[in-house]
Amino acid sequence: MSGKPKLYYFNARGRMESIRWLLAAAGVEFEECFLETKDDLTKLRKDGSLLFQQVPMVEIDGMKMVQSRAIGNYIAMKYNLYGKDLKERALIDMYVEAVIDLNELLMTHPFQPADKKEQHFATIVDKATNRYFPVYEKVLKDHGQDFLVGNQFSRADVQLLETLLMAEECKPDILAKFPLLQSFKARISNIPTVKKFLQPGSQRKPPLQEKDVPKLMKIFH
Amino acid sequence: MAGKPKLHYTKGRGKMESIRWLLAAAGVEFEEEFIETKEDLEKLRNDGSLLFQQVPMVEIDGMKMVQTRAILSYIAAKYNLYGKDLKERAWIDMYVEGTTDLMGMIMYLPFQPADTKEKNLALIIERVTTRYFPVYEKALKDHGHDYLVGNKLSWADIHLLEAILMAEECKPDILSAFPLLQAFKGRTSNIPTIKKFLQPGSQRKPPADEKFVAVVRKIFNI
């Protein structure tokens, strides 16, 4: 047994990507087992490995953890990325939950039917630039610190960076009106563990291509 | 200043109901301010009270907290309903995420188009009885304790009871194959704070009816 966490998911971002980011940012090496066919998923289910028959699943510290939020919470706590007290945790949770909402929009974009895509894109841009980004820009402006919460690197910073980069893949100039988010992005990207994860050859996954969507849908149906 | 948490939401279950359950189970008195019109929501937004322009919002301990899970996690930790260590927290989180998914399906049912209702209800019942309830039945069977995690009342138990009662509203005999969940339901409902919350006149909200759906659609533009 290697002792490293082992991630079970498709060879794609989906709901596992935030977990890869968090582990990488914490400097934790991990292994991955990719589901490529429906049979792979069925086998895991029959094994009794998936508490609610779903992935992501992460083998970590003797547990087969499921539910991406539960997994994220565990990793953040274990590696001290969850603030120093209950109130900091509350802020981190609020910021992370909102980022997850935005991620959901970004994540589901390739799966939209062709006739809904344009409107979905408009919704993403509207929500990102009117609802979410202004909040984080203001947080950074108000306290003037390098990190979102408690003047210390936390899960909130990692997940926000992940989302900023995903949003830019959608619309490259999406941060145009957010100077502090731009410098935040540069700063957090330069943290050694994060920088390493952003380099080619890391376990970071590329954006989902439309041509890969049918294969993924097949595993589920 | 009352010092009591103050909940801002519509006068219905929605995403706030689990928060009401948790506070009630923890024996914490709370106040509620109901959003009844679009203007009420706009006012909250224009006040700057809603960090991401959304409710639920709970005023608690000097914060205006938003995001349901953030609020629930805070309350659970504050009132010792989150286990004694990291591993217990992990299990509580996993169980709660399962019941959240389950209740989420039921919550949206009244908002689905009328012609899909029957099919959606059938899917819910299938998921509840084949994916979710078996997990909790087995958890109780394996350790033989009264509570899901750590032999002590936690957020996971309160959330499961809420989910069980909601599922029974969908199909009254939905627990028929789950004897341990039936016993769990009886036992947990009898905890004094929870018993009180289950009585008429408490702040527990009724299931959504057509009138409530119409109000919600109007306020939130959905």
Side-chain angles (χ1 to χ4, degrees), chain B residues 36-71:
Chain B
E36 310 204 293
T37 63
K38 222 167 143 101
E39 288 69 43
D40 290 340
L41 180 61
E42 285 312 308
K43 185 170 179 297
L44 270 178
R45 283 171 166 166
N46 292 333
D47 274 348
S49 294
L50 306 178
L51 190 63
F52 300 104
Q53 312 312 321
Q54 297 165 313
V55 286
M57 189 269 276
V58 175
E59 294 179 86
I60 185 168
D61 297 339
M63 299 180 285
K64 283 185 159 82
M65 283 199 76
V66 296
Q67 296 291 346
T68 315
R69 276 181 183 83
I71 297 165

Side-chain angles (χ1 to χ4, degrees), chain A residues 19-193:
Chain A
I19 294 166
R20 296 182 185 108
W21 267 90
L22 209 48
L23 286 167
V28 178
E29 285 183 23
F30 57 92
E31 295 174 355
E32 301 198 74
C33 183
F34 296 120
L35 306 184
E36 315 220 282
T37 65
K38 206 175 158 79
D39 289 340
D40 290 339
L41 180 59
T42 305
K43 185 171 179 296
L44 268 183
R45 284 171 166 166
K46 292 218 161 108
D47 273 347
S49 294
L50 306 179
L51 189 64
F52 298 109
Q53 314 309 321
Q54 297 165 315
V55 286
M57 188 271 276
V58 175
E59 288 178 322
I60 184 167
D61 297 339
M63 297 181 286
K64 285 183 158 77
M65 283 199 76
V66 296
Q67 296 289 351
S68 45
R69 275 181 180 85
I71 299 165
N73 287 353
Y74 184 80
I75 294 166
M77 275 297 239
K78 184 175 177 183
Y79 296 103
N80 292 314
L81 292 168
Y82 221 157
K84 71 176 193 298
D85 59 29
L86 202 48
K87 283 218 169 166
E88 284 191 359
R89 245 171 60 185
L91 279 175
I92 290 168
D93 278 342
M94 284 191 271
Y95 297 154
V96 165
E97 283 296 306
V99 152
I100 289 174
D101 285 349
L102 182 54
N103 270 0
E104 285 278 329
L105 280 179
L106 290 161
M107 209 196 304
T108 54
H109 190 61
F111 296 92
Q112 297 298 321
D115 58 341
K116 294 224 162 111
K117 269 215 162 87
E118 205 179 311
Q119 205 208 345
H120 194 251
F121 179 80
T123 302
I124 289 174
V125 174
D126 173 49
K127 290 251 160 91
T129 55
N130 291 320
R131 176 172 284 190
Y132 296 110
F133 290 173
V135 172
Y136 301 104
E137 182 81 5
K138 183 178 190 295
V139 166
L140 293 169
K141 182 171 186 197
D142 285 351
H143 61 44
Q145 290 161 4
D146 283 355
F147 306 108
L148 283 171
V149 179
N151 210 7
Q152 198 193 3
F153 185 49
S154 81
R155 174 191 192 185
D157 304 299
V158 178
Q159 317 260 222
L160 179 59
L161 175 62
E162 178 192 358
T163 301
L164 292 178
L165 295 178
M166 257 172 54
E168 280 185 325
E169 283 165 355
C170 229
K171 190 175 186 290
D173 65 347
I174 204 169
L175 288 185
K177 294 192 185 141
F178 304 102
L180 295 180
L181 287 181
Q182 291 175 39
S183 50
F184 172 88
K185 175 190 141 193
R187 205 164 52 241
I188 306 299
S189 300
N190 256 317
I191 291 172
T193 49

